[in-house]
Amino acid sequence: ALALFGPWTMVVRLGLATTSALVLLGYYHGFLVAVLKANEAFGILTKATYLQVTATFATTLPLMYFLRMYGLSVYGLYASVVISFLITIGYLRLSFPFQRGQVFRWPVLWGLLKKGFPIVIINMSVMLITTCDRIIVGSLLGKTAVGYYGIAALTVALLINIPGTAREVLTPRLMRAVESTPQDELVSRYLLGPLLNTAYLMPFLVGPVFFALPVGIRLLLPRYWQGIVAAQTLTLGVYFLALAYVPYMLIVAKNWQFQASWRLPPILVFNVVLGIVLVGQGYGLFGVALSTALSFVLLAVVLTGFLWSKLRLGAARRRRYLFALAAPVVVIYLLINCLSLTVRRFVPDVYAGAALSIGIYCGVLWLLYRAASARLALLKTFRLRDFV
């Protein structure tokens, strides 16, 4: 309605109309994806993801280039997003035998809304915690700063994809096993095991990205160099965001989402208030990134602490796993700080310095990982040739 009757320019009008179409296409795409997840058809989902990315790339550049001659390149961008969604939806429909829907029943709808509302609160809280930094930057630092900060947001989106994909694979299995699996086995398989593997494997992504960001941005996107520190800060925070994904799954599976949902809005308030304060003190993009990274820490602590209190883990078991989870945090932050200070001093070349820092970091982290996997049965053991 806004697109049709609002006092907009044609670009804005068509942008709103495209967004409206994407809401409907996104709803239907999300429904198909949910059905495929429930049936554990992850092979089809993987192919569909590649197809959507390829279709977006293949349509965006030609359409924008063709329409640029007429001064209409933004319309090519609008069209490419819609076309890629339509192609992906068509592939999903053709690749899986979707059954016809059953008779609509109001009691089922109300039951789903009642159960799903707390999940919506959790999802909205997490989404706002992870995205409100862009609103703060745009409101207090201006549009140009949003562009610089886009590097940090893009880094978070790329890094969180791996634990996010793991969560999508584990969730259907957890939902099916939650009622029939003994609690000790459930905790080991779907909480402690994923927490440990995330805590010890995620640093192999975080550290190299942290050291490579200054080189990569100055080499590929030199105009965005002012976003380097913010991107590095958020890269460290992503580690805790990945940890927060793990207890979230079990909270929903155990139907504790209503009790947990009200613990998240204070984290959002903390993020916003601290970000505003730090910007006011002159810390700029770094201040916003720091407040967001700290909110990721709080998110992981609050969700994990809530779940541990509900599951009533023994004091000895809790201490053991707290120490195991804290060890990689201490090591990676000490390593990053020490290497950032020393390598830069002794190796003036930025490319050689980044390569040396990544090599030393991964070597030390691999030793820590091997030592921990020998002591913790829930930590999966990998060999170097598994990564080759």
Side-chain angles (χ1 to χ4, degrees), residues 54-93:
T54 304
T56 302
F57 180 77
T59 56
T60 300
L61 294 179
L63 285 172
M64 291 185 68
Y65 179 79
F66 174 76
L67 293 174
R68 186 180 64 175
M69 295 183 292
Y70 306 98
L72 305 172
S73 58
V74 69
Y75 301 122
L77 182 62
Y78 293 162
S80 69
V81 180
V82 174
I83 291 171
S84 63
F85 253 114
L86 290 173
I87 291 173
T88 307
I89 289 172
Y91 170 76
L92 292 176
R93 285 303 310 245

Side-chain angles (χ1 to χ4, degrees), residues 41-342:
F42 295 108
I44 297 175
L45 287 174
T46 301
K47 294 175 183 177
T49 301
Y50 282 117
L51 178 63
Q52 187 167 15
V53 172
T54 304
T56 302
F57 180 77
T59 56
T60 300
L61 294 179
L63 285 172
M64 291 185 68
Y65 179 79
F66 174 76
L67 293 174
R68 186 180 64 175
M69 295 183 292
Y70 306 98
L72 305 172
S73 58
V74 69
Y75 301 122
L77 182 62
Y78 293 162
S80 69
V81 180
V82 174
I83 291 171
S84 63
F85 253 114
L86 290 173
I87 291 173
T88 307
I89 289 172
Y91 170 76
L92 292 176
R93 285 303 310 245
L94 293 173
S95 301
F96 187 81
F98 290 95
Q99 297 178 357
R100 293 179 62 85
Q102 303 298 316
V103 177
F104 183 83
R105 289 177 289 174
W106 283 103
V108 174
L109 173 64
W110 295 126
L112 291 173
L113 290 175
K114 182 179 179 181
K115 194 167 188 176
F117 180 69
I119 301 177
V120 172
I121 295 176
I122 290 181
N123 286 340
M124 286 293 293
S125 298
V126 173
M127 183 190 71
L128 290 172
I129 290 169
T130 56
T131 59
C132 70
D133 50 353
R134 278 147 264 188
I135 300 174
I136 296 172
V137 171
S139 301
L140 301 181
L141 298 174
K143 295 179 181 179
T144 303
V146 173
Y148 296 140
Y149 197 80
I151 297 296
L154 179 61
T155 303
V156 172
L158 291 174
L159 284 176
I160 206 61
N161 263 337
I162 293 179
T165 303
R167 182 186 67 169
E168 291 180 355
V169 173
L170 284 174
T171 298
R173 300 173 184 173
L174 171 58
M175 296 300 179
R176 186 166 57 246
V178 67
E179 297 297 334
S180 59
T181 306
Q183 180 163 299
D184 283 347
E185 183 181 348
L186 197 71
V187 169
S188 297
R189 185 184 301 177
Y190 293 105
L191 177 62
L192 297 178
L195 273 176
L196 287 172
N197 283 280
T198 301
Y200 282 85
L201 293 176
M202 194 67 186
F204 285 99
L205 290 175
V206 168
V209 170
F210 180 91
F211 291 116
L213 271 170
V215 175
I217 291 176
R218 283 194 166 90
L219 185 64
L220 301 175
L221 299 166
R223 294 176 59 188
Y224 290 83
W225 65 269
Q226 295 184 53
I228 291 175
V229 175
Q232 288 180 310
T233 305
L234 275 188
T235 296
L236 298 179
V238 168
Y239 174 82
F240 293 96
L241 182 59
L243 289 176
Y245 273 15
V246 178
Y248 171 83
M249 293 188 302
L250 195 50
I251 287 171
V252 174
K254 297 289 283 186
N255 202 24
W256 291 332
Q257 60 267 21
F258 187 78
Q259 300 172 54
S261 61
W262 306 112
R263 289 166 168 79
L264 300 189
I267 301 175
L268 173 61
V269 174
F270 167 84
N271 190 2
V272 173
V273 172
L274 182 60
I276 293 173
V277 170
L278 290 177
V279 170
Q281 293 297 315
Y283 289 97
L285 295 179
F286 167 71
V288 179
L290 179 61
S291 66
T292 302
L294 291 175
S295 72
F296 292 167
V297 177
L298 286 177
L299 186 64
V301 170
V302 167
L303 290 181
T304 305
F306 167 79
L307 194 55
W308 283 20
S309 66
K310 295 291 289 185
L311 295 172
R312 298 177 182 176
L313 298 178
R317 193 181 188 189
R318 186 179 301 182
R319 282 195 300 270
R320 182 188 181 197
Y321 285 103
L322 275 175
F323 177 79
L325 291 171
V329 177
V330 175
V331 171
I332 62 176
Y333 282 90
L334 284 176
L335 270 175
I336 285 175
N337 278 284
C338 291
L339 290 172
S340 298
L341 293 173
T342 57

Side-chain angles (χ1 to χ4, degrees), residues 2-22:
L2 286 172
L4 292 174
F5 304 112
W8 317 113
T9 63
M10 185 57 66
V11 172
V12 177
R13 192 180 302 278
L14 288 179
L16 289 171
T18 303
T19 304
S20 303
L22 290 177

